[in-house]
Amino acid sequence: MRGYLKRLVTTGAAYQAPEIFAKGIAVFTLPLYTRHVSTESYGAYNTLLTAVILSSIVLRFGVVEAFVRFYFTDEDQERRTRIARTATATVAWTTTLASLLAVAFAADLSRLILGFDDPLLMDCAILGLWAFTNIEMAYAQLRVDERARAYMCASGANVAMTVAFTIALVVFAGQGARGLLLGNFGASALVVLALWWLLRRRFSLRAKRADLRAMLDFGLPTVPADASVYALQVADRFYLFRGVSHGAAGEYSIAVQLATVVFVFVRGFQYAWPPLAYSIDSDADASRLYSIVTTYFVLATGVVVAAVALLGRWMVRLLAAPKYFAAHEALPWLALGWTLYGLYQVMIVITGRARVTQRNLPAAAAGLVVNLVLLFVLVPKSGLDLGLAGAGIALCGAYVAMVALMHLLTRDVFAVDFEWRRLAELTAILTTVAVSGELLLPTAGFAGLVLRVLWLALIPALLLVTRFFKPHERDQARALVADAHRRVTAFRAGHGDVEAYAEDSLRDI
């Protein structure tokens, strides 16, 4: 079990690194881009970006998700190669044909989505649809083999080229929204071609009908659910923009962007978790691992959410203009929402393992309905006046409904003995620290910041006092710390060169 957890942490960290880098670059380059792009153009860019991602979910037909699951059905390498070729070919053909069709109707699509005629801007988005979908398929091949180094190199190259292309097109060429789209997706298209060459033994334009039929049977039921989940993630911003005010939507968007401190952790988990979860043959071992991972995931992300709740005001003051300060109201709720989304991913893997992916849709649809209802009730100008926090609470309420319903729908097909007592204890400790700190401590000034940082130390103290950690967990933690200390000491003392040290670390991975 320790080996599985080590694999999850290692691969998750590898997938988080490019995400952290990309989000960090996005934050620091945002002021540069917004000086050269009008608000109308930036709105068009975001609208098309959303349309690209939603269309990609539909055009994949669930094949990428099915590939990850089917890859671990059989250990025969020849069959795995055939499955990979079928999946790659399917995604390549569907995206290429759909893109060619969309180019033919670019002007009509522009008027439909944007409300004005700009076929060239639409063409840039269509390139994005092709590149984004195919790069997701290529990344999936790297993830199933846990080729973390190749994944990091590809993602890093994508981010670096995106920044270079976007600055050249937006700042120097003055291409506005077109530059934002071309810079982003032009880089992705080049990375797709490079990965096809790297994975050429698994690349093909011919799909085996029997394998494709099996993958569609598995994957197609996930498409409506995935589309609903994505709609859930953007409905609040659209509702604020159209139903409240453009300013409220802007402030909320800043909160969404700052909540990436939790998002990058969840995204790394989302990428690393399915390959590991599906690779376990024994249902008993899988059930036990799912339970332990859920507890550790809540612990790791819960600490970050508590920190965001206590320090959110200072984050907004540091990273945004004063007029965006109201964003701190929604920030803790959005951070909590990403944690709940991570728990939903645990449930998604359960339906995938049991091959009952058709059960994803009722939970996703219920979450979308709950979100819309709570938005009407909690957001200003419609019901209770909870400000921007109302939209964040609506999102959390939707995810709670989804996780609860998914558990009810899956417990009869694959039983997981979740550690309910430890989860309740952990939730109580984190909530107590966050709420008490928010009510008792200053909300501004250096003294308030220091006191709140110190207040967070109550979390590990309470976990130790309540004996949250089991004896074997404490022993393993001490062993890991001692092992890390030994490695660092040996490295500093010169016992082996850098290459030997790296090989030793990679051997453990």
Side-chain angles (χ1 to χ4, degrees):
M1 198 61 62
R2 177 181 172 183
Y4 288 130
L5 294 175
K6 194 170 184 178
R7 282 173 57 195
L8 179 62
V9 172
T10 302
T11 54
Y15 300 140
Q16 286 176 49
E19 195 75 38
I20 293 173
F21 181 53
K23 295 299 181 182
I25 292 293
V27 170
F28 288 110
T29 56
L30 188 60
L32 178 65
Y33 298 153
T34 52
R35 289 183 180 181
H36 295 82
V37 181
S38 67
T39 54
E40 294 81 6
S41 294
Y42 204 84
Y45 158 71
N46 275 281
T47 299
L48 290 175
L49 183 65
T50 301
V52 164
I53 298 174
L54 183 59
S55 302
S56 174
I57 294 173
V58 177
L59 282 179
R60 291 200 300 260
F61 296 116
V63 169
V64 177
E65 293 75 9
F67 163 72
V68 175
R69 178 66 184 99
F70 279 43
Y71 188 83
F72 296 103
T73 301
D74 195 331
E75 294 184 358
D76 181 71
Q77 290 300 321
E78 183 178 348
R79 174 173 169 76
R80 286 182 169 182
T81 299
R82 193 175 72 239
I83 291 172
R85 289 174 176 172
T86 296
T88 302
T90 301
V91 173
W93 277 113
T94 56
T95 54
T96 300
L97 294 175
S99 297
L100 292 174
L101 183 63
V103 167
F105 295 95
D108 296 325
L109 289 173
S110 174
R111 288 190 291 270
L112 176 65
I113 297 174
L114 300 174
F116 58 84
D117 195 346
D118 192 341
L120 185 56
L121 181 61
M122 198 67 214
D123 289 341
C124 297
I126 293 168
L127 170 65
L129 175 62
W130 184 91
F132 178 81
T133 311
N134 281 283
I135 204 170
E136 286 294 299
M137 181 64 239
Y139 282 163
Q141 293 205 50
L142 297 179
R143 294 200 308 271
V144 293
D145 287 332
E146 297 185 10
R147 297 176 64 176
R149 180 179 296 180
Y151 181 92
M152 292 179 66
C153 290
S155 300
N158 193 5
V159 172
M161 287 192 295
T162 295
V163 172
F165 293 170
T166 306
I167 290 177
L169 292 169
V170 174
V171 178
F172 296 104
Q175 289 299 305
R178 297 173 186 173
L180 290 170
L181 288 169
L182 279 177
N184 193 333
F185 295 124
S188 296
L190 293 177
V191 173
V192 168
L193 297 177
L195 287 176
W196 280 356
W197 172 255
L198 176 68
L199 301 167
R200 56 190 178 277
R201 293 183 60 187
R202 292 180 174 179
F203 174 76
S204 175
L205 292 178
R206 299 180 61 182
K208 187 174 178 59
R209 184 175 300 179
D211 290 335
L212 177 58
R213 186 183 301 113
M215 284 192 281
L216 289 177
D217 288 342
F218 176 94
L220 276 177
T222 70
V223 174
D226 289 345
S228 298
V229 171
Y230 183 73
L232 168 67
Q233 294 174 358
V234 299
D236 46 8
R237 277 165 279 179
F238 180 79
Y239 178 81
L240 286 170
F241 186 83
R242 298 294 297 270
V244 180
S245 71
H246 295 180
E251 292 168 345
Y252 192 78
S253 296
I254 292 296
V256 172
Q257 196 162 6
L258 294 178
T260 54
V261 67
V262 180
F263 169 75
V264 294
F265 186 95
V266 174
R267 179 55 62 88
F269 176 78
Q270 181 183 4
Y271 285 164
W273 173 234
L276 172 63
Y278 292 146
S279 69
I280 305 172
D281 295 328
S282 168
D283 283 347
D285 289 343
S287 176
R288 183 182 170 208
L289 179 68
Y290 292 7
S291 175
I292 294 174
V293 166
T294 300
T295 301
Y296 287 168
F297 176 83
V298 172
L299 171 61
T301 56
V303 171
V304 179
V305 172
V308 170
L310 292 177
L311 306 177
R313 289 180 176 85
W314 285 266
M315 292 174 62
V316 177
R317 288 193 182 102
L318 177 65
L319 298 172
K323 60 184 178 182
Y324 289 103
F325 181 66
H328 81 273
E329 298 174 7
L331 184 54
W333 297 106
L334 291 171
L336 177 59
W338 279 118
T339 294
L340 294 169
Y341 176 73
L343 293 177
Y344 176 71
Q345 294 303 312
V346 174
M347 299 298 175
I348 287 291
V349 164
I350 292 176
T351 62
R353 185 180 185 90
R355 300 194 180 187
V356 290
T357 50
Q358 66 274 13
R359 303 191 183 193
N360 297 354
L361 179 58
L368 182 58
V369 171
V370 169
N371 187 36
L372 293 175
V373 170
L374 290 178
L375 282 172
F376 279 107
V377 173
L378 301 177
V379 176
K381 295 188 179 181
S382 55
L384 299 176
D385 188 359
L386 295 183
L388 296 181
I393 294 172
L395 183 66
C396 291
Y399 281 134
V400 168
M402 290 166 60
V403 171
L405 186 54
M406 283 289 281
H407 176 61
L408 293 176
L409 293 173
T410 58
R411 61 183 182 179
D412 64 325
V413 294
F414 186 79
V416 177
D417 188 16
F418 291 107
E419 299 177 307
W420 296 112
R421 185 192 64 79
R422 296 181 81 196
L423 289 171
E425 178 184 348
L426 181 57
T427 302
I429 290 174
L430 294 171
T431 303
T432 299
V433 172
V435 173
S436 62
E438 178 63 21
L439 295 176
L440 299 176
L441 300 178
T443 58
F446 180 73
L449 174 62
V450 172
L451 287 174
R452 286 174 177 246
V453 171
L454 294 175
W455 196 260
L456 289 171
L458 287 174
I459 295 176
L462 290 173
L463 290 174
L464 292 175
V465 168
T466 58
R467 298 183 180 276
F468 174 83
F469 296 105
K470 298 177 180 179
H472 73 275
E473 292 174 335
R474 292 196 294 269
D475 293 340
Q476 289 179 357
R478 283 192 290 266
L480 288 174
V481 171
D483 182 62
H485 182 266
R486 178 186 62 79
R487 291 179 181 276
V488 172
T489 301
F491 180 71
R492 289 178 175 175
H495 297 311
D497 56 15
V498 175
E499 183 178 350
Y501 178 78
E503 289 178 355
D504 189 28
S505 299
L506 288 173
R507 188 161 49 247
D508 283 347
I509 293 174

